[in-house]
PDB file of all heavy atoms in Angstrom:
ATOM      1  N   LEU Z 935      80.336  88.152 107.353  1.00  0.00           N
ATOM      2  CA  LEU Z 935      81.417  89.035 107.608  1.00  0.00           C
ATOM      3  C   LEU Z 935      80.940  90.267 108.376  1.00  0.00           C
ATOM      4  O   LEU Z 935      79.996  90.984 107.911  1.00  0.00           O
ATOM      5  CB  LEU Z 935      82.019  89.578 106.178  1.00  0.00           C
ATOM      6  CG  LEU Z 935      83.307  90.312 106.305  1.00  0.00           C
ATOM      7  CD1 LEU Z 935      84.202  90.016 105.081  1.00  0.00           C
ATOM      8  CD2 LEU Z 935      83.112  91.798 106.418  1.00  0.00           C
ATOM      9  N   LEU Z 955      83.023  93.499  99.033  1.00  0.00           N
ATOM     10  CA  LEU Z 955      83.075  92.208  99.758  1.00  0.00           C
ATOM     11  C   LEU Z 955      81.748  91.448  99.654  1.00  0.00           C
ATOM     12  O   LEU Z 955      81.655  90.274  99.939  1.00  0.00           O
ATOM     13  CB  LEU Z 955      83.325  92.427 101.220  1.00  0.00           C
ATOM     14  CG  LEU Z 955      84.645  93.032 101.485  1.00  0.00           C
ATOM     15  CD1 LEU Z 955      84.825  93.468 103.029  1.00  0.00           C
ATOM     16  CD2 LEU Z 955      85.791  92.232 101.193  1.00  0.00           C
ATOM     17  N   GLN Z 958      81.120  87.940  97.871  1.00  0.00           N
ATOM     18  CA  GLN Z 958      81.610  86.713  98.539  1.00  0.00           C
ATOM     19  C   GLN Z 958      80.994  86.438  99.923  1.00  0.00           C
ATOM     20  O   GLN Z 958      80.894  85.300 100.408  1.00  0.00           O
ATOM     21  CB  GLN Z 958      83.153  86.730  98.700  1.00  0.00           C
ATOM     22  CG  GLN Z 958      83.892  85.560  99.198  1.00  0.00           C
ATOM     23  CD  GLN Z 958      85.357  85.678  99.209  1.00  0.00           C
ATOM     24  OE1 GLN Z 958      85.946  86.697  98.680  1.00  0.00           O
ATOM     25  NE2 GLN Z 958      86.029  84.775  99.894  1.00  0.00           N
ATOM     26  N   PHE Z 959      80.463  87.445 100.525  1.00  0.00           N
ATOM     27  CA  PHE Z 959      80.024  87.377 101.930  1.00  0.00           C
ATOM     28  C   PHE Z 959      78.605  88.029 102.117  1.00  0.00           C
ATOM     29  O   PHE Z 959      78.247  88.949 101.421  1.00  0.00           O
ATOM     30  CB  PHE Z 959      81.015  88.088 102.889  1.00  0.00           C
ATOM     31  CG  PHE Z 959      82.373  87.520 102.910  1.00  0.00           C
ATOM     32  CD1 PHE Z 959      83.412  88.106 102.115  1.00  0.00           C
ATOM     33  CD2 PHE Z 959      82.738  86.382 103.569  1.00  0.00           C
ATOM     34  CE1 PHE Z 959      84.703  87.647 102.122  1.00  0.00           C
ATOM     35  CE2 PHE Z 959      83.924  85.840 103.576  1.00  0.00           C
ATOM     36  CZ  PHE Z 959      84.969  86.430 102.794  1.00  0.00           C
ATOM     37  N   THR Z1001      82.249  84.401 109.588  1.00  0.00           N
ATOM     38  CA  THR Z1001      83.448  83.643 109.236  1.00  0.00           C
ATOM     39  C   THR Z1001      84.672  84.557 109.177  1.00  0.00           C
ATOM     40  O   THR Z1001      85.856  84.111 109.502  1.00  0.00           O
ATOM     41  CB  THR Z1001      83.263  83.089 107.749  1.00  0.00           C
ATOM     42  OG1 THR Z1001      82.126  82.189 107.844  1.00  0.00           O
ATOM     43  CG2 THR Z1001      84.455  82.315 107.274  1.00  0.00           C
ATOM     44  N   VAL Z1002      84.415  85.848 108.855  1.00  0.00           N
ATOM     45  CA  VAL Z1002      85.504  86.851 108.780  1.00  0.00           C
ATOM     46  C   VAL Z1002      84.933  88.055 109.671  1.00  0.00           C
ATOM     47  O   VAL Z1002      83.808  88.457 109.522  1.00  0.00           O
ATOM     48  CB  VAL Z1002      85.802  87.315 107.351  1.00  0.00           C
ATOM     49  CG1 VAL Z1002      86.846  88.395 107.337  1.00  0.00           C
ATOM     50  CG2 VAL Z1002      86.211  86.107 106.552  1.00  0.00           C
ATOM     51  N   GLY Z1025      87.140  82.507 111.272  1.00  0.00           N
ATOM     52  CA  GLY Z1025      88.269  81.948 110.758  1.00  0.00           C
ATOM     53  C   GLY Z1025      89.403  82.925 110.592  1.00  0.00           C
ATOM     54  O   GLY Z1025      90.615  82.605 110.505  1.00  0.00           O
ATOM     55  N   LEU Z1026      89.025  84.185 110.437  1.00  0.00           N
ATOM     56  CA  LEU Z1026      89.968  85.288 110.102  1.00  0.00           C
ATOM     57  C   LEU Z1026      89.438  86.556 110.795  1.00  0.00           C
ATOM     58  O   LEU Z1026      88.357  86.942 110.676  1.00  0.00           O
ATOM     59  CB  LEU Z1026      90.049  85.496 108.583  1.00  0.00           C
ATOM     60  CG  LEU Z1026      90.916  86.655 108.165  1.00  0.00           C
ATOM     61  CD1 LEU Z1026      92.384  86.457 108.489  1.00  0.00           C
ATOM     62  CD2 LEU Z1026      90.712  86.863 106.609  1.00  0.00           C
ATOM     63  N   VAL Z1028      90.570  90.516 110.752  1.00  0.00           N
ATOM     64  CA  VAL Z1028      91.346  91.556 110.057  1.00  0.00           C
ATOM     65  C   VAL Z1028      91.289  92.914 110.791  1.00  0.00           C
ATOM     66  O   VAL Z1028      90.264  93.375 111.139  1.00  0.00           O
ATOM     67  CB  VAL Z1028      90.721  91.775 108.613  1.00  0.00           C
ATOM     68  CG1 VAL Z1028      91.520  92.798 107.891  1.00  0.00           C
ATOM     69  CG2 VAL Z1028      90.628  90.435 107.854  1.00  0.00           C
ATOM     70  N   ARG Z1125      93.330  83.354 113.503  1.00  0.00           N
ATOM     71  CA  ARG Z1125      94.143  83.840 112.354  1.00  0.00           C
ATOM     72  C   ARG Z1125      93.966  85.295 112.169  1.00  0.00           C
ATOM     73  O   ARG Z1125      92.807  85.710 112.059  1.00  0.00           O
ATOM     74  CB  ARG Z1125      93.916  83.011 111.186  1.00  0.00           C
ATOM     75  CG  ARG Z1125      94.658  83.490 109.938  1.00  0.00           C
ATOM     76  CD  ARG Z1125      94.524  82.519 108.835  1.00  0.00           C
ATOM     77  NE  ARG Z1125      95.278  82.922 107.616  1.00  0.00           N
ATOM     78  CZ  ARG Z1125      95.693  82.078 106.698  1.00  0.00           C
ATOM     79  NH1 ARG Z1125      95.538  80.751 106.856  1.00  0.00           N
ATOM     80  NH2 ARG Z1125      96.353  82.464 105.660  1.00  0.00           N
ATOM     81  N   LEU Z1127      95.090  89.045 110.347  1.00  0.00           N
ATOM     82  CA  LEU Z1127      95.657  89.829 109.290  1.00  0.00           C
ATOM     83  C   LEU Z1127      95.781  91.260 109.716  1.00  0.00           C
ATOM     84  O   LEU Z1127      94.703  91.843 109.943  1.00  0.00           O
ATOM     85  CB  LEU Z1127      94.969  89.745 108.004  1.00  0.00           C
ATOM     86  CG  LEU Z1127      95.470  90.512 106.840  1.00  0.00           C
ATOM     87  CD1 LEU Z1127      96.791  90.195 106.438  1.00  0.00           C
ATOM     88  CD2 LEU Z1127      94.486  90.467 105.621  1.00  0.00           C
ATOM     89  N   ALA Z1173      89.943  95.400  99.746  1.00  0.00           N
ATOM     90  CA  ALA Z1173      89.082  94.268  99.525  1.00  0.00           C
ATOM     91  C   ALA Z1173      89.794  93.009  98.896  1.00  0.00           C
ATOM     92  O   ALA Z1173      89.570  91.971  99.316  1.00  0.00           O
ATOM     93  CB  ALA Z1173      87.926  94.662  98.675  1.00  0.00           C
ATOM     94  N   GLU Z1174      90.712  93.340  97.948  1.00  0.00           N
ATOM     95  CA  GLU Z1174      91.454  92.196  97.334  1.00  0.00           C
ATOM     96  C   GLU Z1174      92.328  91.471  98.437  1.00  0.00           C
ATOM     97  O   GLU Z1174      92.388  90.247  98.322  1.00  0.00           O
ATOM     98  CB  GLU Z1174      92.349  92.772  96.243  1.00  0.00           C
ATOM     99  CG  GLU Z1174      91.614  93.251  94.988  1.00  0.00           C
ATOM    100  CD  GLU Z1174      92.544  93.960  94.003  1.00  0.00           C
ATOM    101  OE1 GLU Z1174      93.746  93.978  94.218  1.00  0.00           O
ATOM    102  OE2 GLU Z1174      92.042  94.373  92.915  1.00  0.00           O
ATOM    103  N   ILE Z1175      92.871  92.275  99.297  1.00  0.00           N
ATOM    104  CA  ILE Z1175      93.756  91.595 100.322  1.00  0.00           C
ATOM    105  C   ILE Z1175      92.930  90.757 101.229  1.00  0.00           C
ATOM    106  O   ILE Z1175      93.296  89.670 101.589  1.00  0.00           O
ATOM    107  CB  ILE Z1175      94.494  92.737 101.072  1.00  0.00           C
ATOM    108  CG1 ILE Z1175      95.492  93.451 100.242  1.00  0.00           C
ATOM    109  CG2 ILE Z1175      95.235  92.094 102.311  1.00  0.00           C
ATOM    110  CD1 ILE Z1175      96.073  94.710 100.835  1.00  0.00           C
ATOM    111  N   ILE Z1176      91.793  91.290 101.705  1.00  0.00           N
ATOM    112  CA  ILE Z1176      90.845  90.512 102.523  1.00  0.00           C
ATOM    113  C   ILE Z1176      90.363  89.250 101.839  1.00  0.00           C
ATOM    114  O   ILE Z1176      90.345  88.177 102.474  1.00  0.00           O
ATOM    115  CB  ILE Z1176      89.697  91.407 103.031  1.00  0.00           C
ATOM    116  CG1 ILE Z1176      90.206  92.516 103.975  1.00  0.00           C
ATOM    117  CG2 ILE Z1176      88.674  90.541 103.846  1.00  0.00           C
ATOM    118  CD1 ILE Z1176      89.142  93.486 104.283  1.00  0.00           C
ATOM    119  N   GLN Z1177      89.971  89.430 100.661  1.00  0.00           N
ATOM    120  CA  GLN Z1177      89.342  88.258  99.919  1.00  0.00           C
ATOM    121  C   GLN Z1177      90.488  87.178  99.696  1.00  0.00           C
ATOM    122  O   GLN Z1177      90.148  85.978  99.815  1.00  0.00           O
ATOM    123  CB  GLN Z1177      88.821  88.791  98.576  1.00  0.00           C
ATOM    124  CG  GLN Z1177      87.531  89.559  98.666  1.00  0.00           C
ATOM    125  CD  GLN Z1177      87.235  90.352  97.451  1.00  0.00           C
ATOM    126  OE1 GLN Z1177      88.043  90.669  96.655  1.00  0.00           O
ATOM    127  NE2 GLN Z1177      85.887  90.651  97.256  1.00  0.00           N
ATOM    128  N   ALA Z1178      91.673  87.612  99.384  1.00  0.00           N
ATOM    129  CA  ALA Z1178      92.723  86.576  99.168  1.00  0.00           C
ATOM    130  C   ALA Z1178      93.041  85.876 100.488  1.00  0.00           C
ATOM    131  O   ALA Z1178      93.260  84.680 100.552  1.00  0.00           O
ATOM    132  CB  ALA Z1178      94.027  87.253  98.710  1.00  0.00           C
ATOM    133  N   GLU Z1179      93.081  86.601 101.572  1.00  0.00           N
ATOM    134  CA  GLU Z1179      93.395  85.971 102.885  1.00  0.00           C
ATOM    135  C   GLU Z1179      92.188  85.042 103.300  1.00  0.00           C
ATOM    136  O   GLU Z1179      92.458  83.947 103.843  1.00  0.00           O
ATOM    137  CB  GLU Z1179      93.549  87.002 104.017  1.00  0.00           C
ATOM    138  CG  GLU Z1179      94.265  86.542 105.272  1.00  0.00           C
ATOM    139  CD  GLU Z1179      95.691  86.249 105.144  1.00  0.00           C
ATOM    140  OE1 GLU Z1179      96.255  86.680 104.089  1.00  0.00           O
ATOM    141  OE2 GLU Z1179      96.245  85.635 106.021  1.00  0.00           O
ATOM    142  N   ALA Z1180      90.917  85.519 102.997  1.00  0.00           N
ATOM    143  CA  ALA Z1180      89.833  84.655 103.365  1.00  0.00           C
ATOM    144  C   ALA Z1180      89.825  83.353 102.532  1.00  0.00           C
ATOM    145  O   ALA Z1180      89.401  82.310 103.020  1.00  0.00           O
ATOM    146  CB  ALA Z1180      88.531  85.379 103.132  1.00  0.00           C
ATOM    147  N   ALA Z1181      90.193  83.482 101.248  1.00  0.00           N
ATOM    148  CA  ALA Z1181      90.239  82.259 100.480  1.00  0.00           C
ATOM    149  C   ALA Z1181      91.219  81.271 100.949  1.00  0.00           C
ATOM    150  O   ALA Z1181      91.013  79.989 100.818  1.00  0.00           O
ATOM    151  CB  ALA Z1181      90.644  82.730  99.050  1.00  0.00           C
ATOM    152  N   ALA Z1182      92.286  81.704 101.617  1.00  0.00           N
ATOM    153  CA  ALA Z1182      93.282  80.762 102.142  1.00  0.00           C
ATOM    154  C   ALA Z1182      92.775  79.978 103.325  1.00  0.00           C
ATOM    155  O   ALA Z1182      93.337  78.847 103.615  1.00  0.00           O
ATOM    156  CB  ALA Z1182      94.572  81.573 102.659  1.00  0.00           C
ATOM    157  N   ILE Z1183      91.714  80.461 104.042  1.00  0.00           N
ATOM    158  CA  ILE Z1183      91.211  79.665 105.136  1.00  0.00           C
ATOM    159  C   ILE Z1183      89.997  78.846 104.747  1.00  0.00           C
ATOM    160  O   ILE Z1183      89.477  78.055 105.592  1.00  0.00           O
ATOM    161  CB  ILE Z1183      90.773  80.663 106.271  1.00  0.00           C
ATOM    162  CG1 ILE Z1183      89.586  81.485 105.864  1.00  0.00           C
ATOM    163  CG2 ILE Z1183      91.927  81.510 106.781  1.00  0.00           C
ATOM    164  CD1 ILE Z1183      88.932  82.240 107.036  1.00  0.00           C
ATOM    165  N   ALA Z1184      89.486  78.992 103.498  1.00  0.00           N
ATOM    166  CA  ALA Z1184      88.274  78.325 103.063  1.00  0.00           C
ATOM    167  C   ALA Z1184      88.565  76.769 103.016  1.00  0.00           C
ATOM    168  O   ALA Z1184      89.652  76.348 102.757  1.00  0.00           O
ATOM    169  CB  ALA Z1184      87.852  78.836 101.764  1.00  0.00           C
TER     170      ALA Z1184
END
Side-chain angles (χ1 to χ4, degrees):
L935 188 150
L955 299 172
Q958 187 175 348
F959 300 99
T1001 298
V1002 178
L1026 175 64
V1028 180
R1125 180 170 178 152
L1127 174 63
E1174 288 174 2
I1175 294 169
I1176 293 172
Q1177 289 165 334
E1179 195 75 13
I1183 66 169

